[in-house]
Amino acid sequence: MSRVSAAFLFKLCLFATLVQGLQGDERKVAIHYTGELPEAKTSVEDKHHSLLMAAIGDEEIARQAKIYSYGKSFNGFAARLLPHEVQKLSDEDVVMSVFANKKRKLHTTRSWDFLGMPETSGSRNSKVESDIIIGILDTGIYVNTPSFDDKGFGPAPAKWKGKCVKGANFTGCNNKVIGAKYFNLENAPTGSVTPADDIGHGTHTSSIAAGVAVKGASFYSIAKGTARGGASSARIAMYKVCSENGCSDMDLLAGFDEAIADGVDLISVSIGGPSTDLFSDPMAIGSFHAMKRGILTSCSGGNYGPTEYTIENVAPWIMTVAASSIDRKFQTEFKGLFGSQMLIWTLKSFGQMQTRLGLSINTFSPKKQMYPLISGTLAADTSHQSHLNASACDYGSLSQHKVKGRVVYCEGYLSQDDTIKQLGGVGLVASGDSLADVAFVVSMPRTTISNKDGEKIDRYINSTKNPIPPPPSPPSLSLSLSLSLSLTEIRAYAQPDLAAPGLDILAAYSKLPPVTEDPLDKRHATFNILSGTSMACPHAVAAAAYMKSFHPNWSPAAIKSALMTTTMPMKIKDEFAELSSGSGQINPVKAVHPGLVYDITMRSYISFLCKEGYNGTTIALLAGGKKKFNCSSFWPAHGTDGLNYPSMHLQLTDTSASISAIFYRTVTNVGSAKSLYKAKVTAPEGVSIQVVPDTLKFDKLHENRSFKVVIKGGRVKKGTHIMSGSLEWSDSRHRVKSPILIFTTDQPIMV
Ligand SMILES: *[C@@H]1O[C@H](CO)[C@@H](O)[C@H](O)[C@H]1NC(C)=O
Ligand SMILES: *[C@@H]1O[C@H](CO)[C@@H](O)[C@H](O)[C@H]1NC(C)=O
Ligand SMILES: *[C@@H]1O[C@H](CO)[C@@H](O)[C@H](O)[C@H]1NC(C)=O
Ligand SMILES: *[C@@H]1O[C@H](CO)[C@@H](O)[C@H](O)[C@H]1NC(C)=O
Ligand SMILES: *[C@@H]1O[C@H](CO)[C@@H](O)[C@H](O)[C@H]1NC(C)=O
Ligand SMILES: *[C@@H]1O[C@H](CO)[C@@H](O)[C@H](O)[C@H]1NC(C)=O
């Protein structure tokens, strides 16, 4: 099971974390997490204070040290502490975990572009949907934009207990954006300590989730069309937990604490950081308490694939989302960048096709038809010895007088627009294959081409001292957007639950920051095009909101199960593909009628936690109440993963042993009252997968049926990394698919 392995791999000794995080004399922020709220809520803050007093010893210092008391939805506090004080607190019985406050990152790269979520067709339950509140933990929100127009929206749903706080550059809330709060935002510039979005990310993710339809939206005429959120009738509540300095754990926890108490129905968080122990991870903690109150949390899986163990936000009560591309690409024809002749002439001299396409999102129209071209190598600053890589156009490696007024060819996609811009260059051609299917919003005329084409250009530049083309024929300076239809492809981020569109997405943007990270960029826009799992996450939360409008009482696990078992097949292209797409690309319309769901009870989560090695005492703190849990009565009775999950993952750590695993599962009938489901299994070569029983008969709705999946096989062949199979239950109307993944790991397990 993916969760098991990921959490296990990243499990750090709690004490080691503290020593590393809190060495020295300086007071560092640590977060004390004590689990579920006590039954008598009266004295949460007093209790925190007395714990702090006991550790610090001085009333005044203890008061000043505390930053947050979390007590609305779960129990814990954040305070500035010295290492020995941390030690004292860790020794307290009631403390579940103490961890250093770390910074996390937004899961987007602002300069990438993306494409819009396909419109969900099918009937909508707009009236019910407008009672659904999506809480978004992000960079704030820019309300005064067409995507958040509240025309036709009534007042906030009666259950709403949140607030709209005031702040600089913030116009306030409306009936669409019904709440906005900001948190500590340590070290953020004063202008950002407000619910206003000074970064753009939060406005973008919010409008993907629940923006209203805006016709004729585009980014400088690129990607023209209707921009709309997936759950366009739902309400938005923004919790600003990030500034330009990142997103700190303590603010994330504060965001969850408030959002849960305010009455949101779903939470979307496009932020990540290294996965650590589940209960030292604010995402895992916050989403656990959300789940207990029936709130599904959708999180981005991170942009660090396609390698193994790069996935983030993996707790099994989180819906972990990968980003997929959709069927359009933004391509900048070279002629848009240079004026047509230069490239055509250039490429003719290679004896090649006349036009080459590079990827980028350009809003620029060059003033002249032609510009001289130079490579970074030839533009190197040779006035002093340097270790910098001029062919990659490293900052500081180029000579200004060689670059000025020219288009520069740089090797590698990392070459920076602003380096060329600062030196007075007029354009940039970068080569690089690794980003073959994403385009960037760029701050100067720029395009990205394949390495092969790059080499040709380089050779051409070398072949002539002054590579300026002959007199041009009529210029063609406009950007051309070409639509190339391809099957959906996945970009690889290992082991998410499912995938949703995340590449090249057009959505609302804040007018406060420029459209790229370049502070010299003067462009501000109503819409922008971004890419990343950051954009995939709100697509998935919108799909969940859409489902909730049909099934208001379904548990978070049931909603996630429906989304996972009804996915669309994906065309996948790299070696870790099956680990990267999870169950596949979401299909919200189908998910409304999944037939069967894999629901997960608290008992099932507890057996999972036992399997993860948490003891009964720790689990009791987490689950609340006085009951102590006896793990041996939960585990190992519940099979390989101890969890009623809609997918089955078996990680083989010992490849010399034969394959053997049992997954126990229970499905609940949400399709037709009387129905008969048959199992269809596909097994990888050399592995047997048996489902017992292989038919399930239901007489009523909401009936449960249990089965087991027995996997047996010999030793894994050398060099085999991933073996994939599947289980599909089907009656005449529904197909309920679960991926079965067996994979080996080369990395040693670190405990
Ligand atoms: C926001 O407001 C502050 C103070 O009111 C101001 O200094 C700052 O420039 C504003 N920020 C933006 C991005 O407009
Ligand atoms: C310079 O950077 C390019 C592109 O990243 C790379 O291919 C090349 O090997 C680098 N050269 C040196 C000398 O490091
Ligand atoms: C172009 O010339 C530079 C500098 O002499 C050299 O490093 C580079 O390899 C040449 N490129 C090609 C494709 O021949
Ligand atoms: C349970 O685990 C916690 C945290 O690892 C530990 O402090 C505690 O002593 C354990 N309790 C028992 C009864 O083993
Ligand atoms: C826990 O459960 C196991 C198996 O049911 C039992 O043998 C054991 O006595 C129980 N331990 C406690 C402390 O109740
Ligand atoms: C079926 O199982 C779910 C949890 O998985 C439980 O909540 C529900 O009560 C069960 N239904 C019946 C009819 O027992």
Side-chain angles (χ1 to χ4, degrees):
M1 163 76 224
S2 64
R3 272 94 192 88
V4 179
S5 49
F8 192 49
L9 268 169
F10 289 114
K11 192 181 284 179
L12 294 175
C13 167
L14 194 54
F15 184 62
T17 315
L18 294 173
V19 171
Q20 279 170 11
L22 300 168
Q23 254 167 1
D25 301 335
E26 199 193 334
R27 275 182 189 276
K28 298 258 171 66
V29 179
I31 296 163
H32 297 250
Y33 168 54
T34 51
E36 185 51 272
L37 290 172
E39 264 148 28
K41 291 191 184 178
T42 45
S43 58
V44 174
E45 259 190 71
D46 292 350
K47 178 78 187 154
H48 293 163
H49 184 69
S50 62
L51 273 170
L52 261 176
M53 262 302 288
I56 293 177
D58 181 292
E59 178 80 32
E60 188 53 31
I61 297 176
R63 273 200 199 290
Q64 283 174 7
K66 196 170 79 189
I67 306 172
Y68 282 113
S69 265
Y70 311 113
K72 290 188 171 167
S73 309
F74 50 85
N75 196 358
F77 60 90
R80 289 192 180 79
L81 294 165
L82 295 168
H84 73 272
E85 294 162 356
V86 167
Q87 187 53 54
K88 266 197 195 152
L89 274 165
S90 312
D91 293 343
E92 293 275 349
D93 289 345
V94 294
V95 175
M96 249 190 90
S97 59
V98 183
F99 51 99
N101 184 45
K102 292 179 293 299
K103 282 275 163 82
R104 279 160 209 273
K105 285 191 195 153
L106 299 168
H107 273 161
T108 186
T109 305
R110 284 178 59 188
S111 40
W112 297 21
D113 69 57
F114 81 70
L115 299 160
M117 181 188 187
E119 294 205 11
T120 33
S121 57
S123 59
R124 298 185 78 89
N125 244 345
S126 309
K127 177 120 191 26
V128 184
E129 192 177 295
S130 79
D131 279 343
I132 294 176
I133 304 164
I134 304 178
I136 298 179
L137 276 53
D138 213 301
T139 64
I141 191 161
Y142 188 83
V143 178
N144 190 15
T145 192
S147 298
F148 303 135
D149 188 345
D150 68 351
K151 208 188 305 154
F153 282 84
K159 65 187 173 190
W160 177 240
K161 295 197 278 290
K163 279 200 303 212
C164 185
V165 304
K166 294 195 171 73
N169 311 320
F170 189 62
T171 53
C173 297
N174 59 19
N175 286 335
K176 177 73 187 175
V177 180
I178 57 172
K181 290 179 177 174
Y182 62 89
F183 298 93
N184 190 293
L185 306 174
E186 215 179 11
N187 304 324
T190 37
S192 343
V193 187
T194 156
D197 183 3
D198 51 338
I199 294 178
H201 189 272
T203 303
H204 205 263
T205 54
S206 301
S207 73
I208 292 171
V212 298
V214 181
K215 289 214 174 80
S218 76
F219 178 64
Y220 293 89
S221 301
I222 303 170
K224 216 170 204 154
T226 299
R228 62 188 275 287
S232 49
S233 303
R235 320 289 183 124
I236 297 165
M238 171 55 63
Y239 298 85
K240 181 172 180 176
V241 298
C242 303
S243 70
E244 63 185 40
N245 294 323
C247 324
S248 76
D249 284 1
M250 62 176 179
D251 290 344
L252 271 160
L253 278 172
F256 274 108
D257 194 30
E258 299 273 339
I260 296 166
D262 286 349
V264 303
D265 295 293
L266 297 149
I267 293 177
S268 181
V269 198
S270 293
I271 298 167
S275 297
T276 54
D277 178 89
L278 283 178
F279 296 105
S280 304
D281 178 343
M283 306 288 251
I285 295 170
S287 57
F288 183 85
H289 293 281
M291 174 274 291
K292 282 187 71 185
R293 285 159 184 78
I295 303 165
L296 176 61
T297 302
S298 175
C299 288
S300 47
N303 302 337
Y304 307 104
T307 37
E308 292 164 288
Y309 310 114
T310 55
I311 188 80
E312 299 178 344
N313 303 325
V314 290
W317 41 85
I318 292 176
M319 178 161 71
T320 311
V321 188
S324 58
S325 65
I326 57 177
D327 57 0
R328 286 185 293 169
K329 278 184 182 165
F330 293 113
Q331 297 179 320
T332 305
E333 277 188 43
F334 260 108
K335 57 184 182 188
L337 181 59
F338 298 114
S340 61
Q341 292 314 299
M342 180 165 172
L343 191 82
I344 291 173
W345 180 80
T346 302
L347 289 175
K348 265 184 186 158
S349 78
F350 301 153
Q352 291 289 318
M353 279 165 36
Q354 297 212 329
T355 320
R356 286 283 161 151
L357 295 175
L359 287 175
S360 74
I361 296 177
N362 268 291
T363 67
F364 309 95
S365 295
K367 289 193 185 66
K368 284 200 279 183
Q369 293 154 1
M370 292 297 150
Y371 291 96
L373 184 60
I374 192 165
S375 63
T377 320
L378 297 182
D381 181 356
T382 49
S383 65
H384 56 270
Q385 286 271 321
S386 154
H387 301 294
L388 298 168
N389 185 340
S391 56
C393 301
D394 279 359
Y395 180 79
S397 69
L398 305 182
S399 155
Q400 176 157 20
H401 77 269
K402 291 179 191 161
V403 168
K404 195 154 189 234
R406 292 174 186 244
V407 171
V408 187
Y409 164 71
C410 306
E411 262 178 62
Y413 63 87
L414 290 176
S415 31
Q416 296 294 314
D417 306 357
D418 35 353
T419 304
I420 305 298
K421 213 156 92 176
Q422 271 174 25
L423 298 175
V426 293
L428 170 63
V429 180
S431 65
D433 289 338
S434 54
L435 294 176
D437 52 5
V438 228
F440 295 84
V441 169
V442 289
S443 68
M444 73 182 302
R446 165 181 179 144
T447 195
T448 306
I449 56 174
S450 70
N451 286 330
K452 224 168 116 199
D453 284 346
E455 235 181 83
K456 281 180 196 150
I457 288 197
D458 198 22
R459 211 173 303 132
Y460 161 66
I461 295 171
N462 284 357
S463 73
T464 163
K465 276 211 185 91
N466 188 20
I468 302 178
S473 55
S476 154
L477 296 178
S478 62
L479 169 83
S480 74
L481 163 69
S482 68
L483 299 182
S484 67
L485 290 173
S486 64
L487 286 172
T488 301
E489 289 170 31
I490 182 77
R491 285 186 66 82
Y493 310 106
Q495 295 184 359
D497 289 318
L498 39 71
L503 299 193
D504 307 326
I505 309 292
L506 177 80
Y509 208 64
S510 173
K511 286 229 172 145
L512 297 172
V515 295
T516 62
E517 281 141 325
D518 184 348
L520 300 176
D521 195 336
K522 292 282 185 300
R523 295 171 302 165
H524 296 262
T526 306
F527 295 94
N528 201 352
I529 299 171
L530 303 182
S531 287
T533 52
S534 272
M535 282 70 240
C537 171
H539 275 109
V541 92
Y546 176 69
M547 287 199 54
K548 226 177 151 64
S549 73
F550 292 91
H551 307 293
N553 300 321
W554 281 17
S555 72
I559 290 178
K560 182 166 109 174
S561 168
L563 287 167
M564 285 173 71
T565 58
T566 54
T567 50
M568 292 183 259
M570 302 185 73
K571 187 181 116 190
I572 288 173
K573 63 180 182 188
D574 65 73
E575 124 188 59
F576 301 116
E578 281 133 321
L579 285 175
S580 41
S581 60
S583 297
Q585 171 135 301
I586 52 168
N587 188 351
V589 176
K590 236 181 163 184
V592 171
H593 307 289
L596 305 174
V597 291
Y598 294 80
D599 205 350
I600 306 182
T601 56
M602 189 46 90
R603 193 184 160 84
S604 182
Y605 282 125
I606 289 169
S607 92
F608 162 80
L609 291 169
C610 287
K611 158 115 206 317
E612 282 286 278
Y614 296 97
N615 62 35
T617 318
T618 304
I619 294 169
L621 283 172
L622 181 71
K626 294 200 177 62
K627 202 163 133 208
K628 281 243 179 340
F629 293 93
N630 179 353
C631 274
S632 18
S633 64
F634 285 91
W635 174 256
H638 284 76
T640 299
D641 57 7
L643 191 64
N644 195 36
Y645 216 68
S647 61
M648 285 156 247
H649 291 187
L650 172 62
Q651 179 176 325
L652 302 172
T653 49
D654 177 9
T655 48
S656 65
S658 52
I659 300 171
S660 171
I662 300 186
F663 294 92
Y664 291 91
R665 293 292 186 266
T666 299
V667 285
T668 306
N669 180 22
V670 294
S672 326
K674 283 198 192 308
S675 48
L676 182 70
Y677 282 83
K678 290 198 170 117
K680 192 175 98 194
V681 163
T682 54
E685 209 188 303
V687 176
S688 105
I689 299 180
Q690 220 193 342
V691 181
V692 188
D694 63 359
T695 56
L696 301 175
K697 188 168 168 292
F698 295 91
D699 298 313
K700 296 201 282 284
L701 280 179
H702 308 299
E703 246 176 0
N704 295 323
R705 291 286 178 264
S706 296
F707 61 92
K708 63 181 177 182
V709 177
V710 183
I711 303 182
K712 285 205 158 64
R715 282 169 56 171
V716 182
K717 261 194 259 145
K718 255 212 154 60
T720 303
H721 205 62
I722 297 170
M723 291 180 283
S724 65
S726 65
L727 163 63
E728 181 181 300
W729 288 106
S730 58
D731 68 351
S732 50
R733 291 188 202 170
H734 307 96
R735 293 166 65 202
V736 189
K737 294 175 297 173
S738 292
I740 300 175
L741 215 55
I742 305 168
F743 57 100
T744 62
T745 170
D746 303 320
Q747 277 101 330
I749 300 269
M750 293 167 289
V751 182

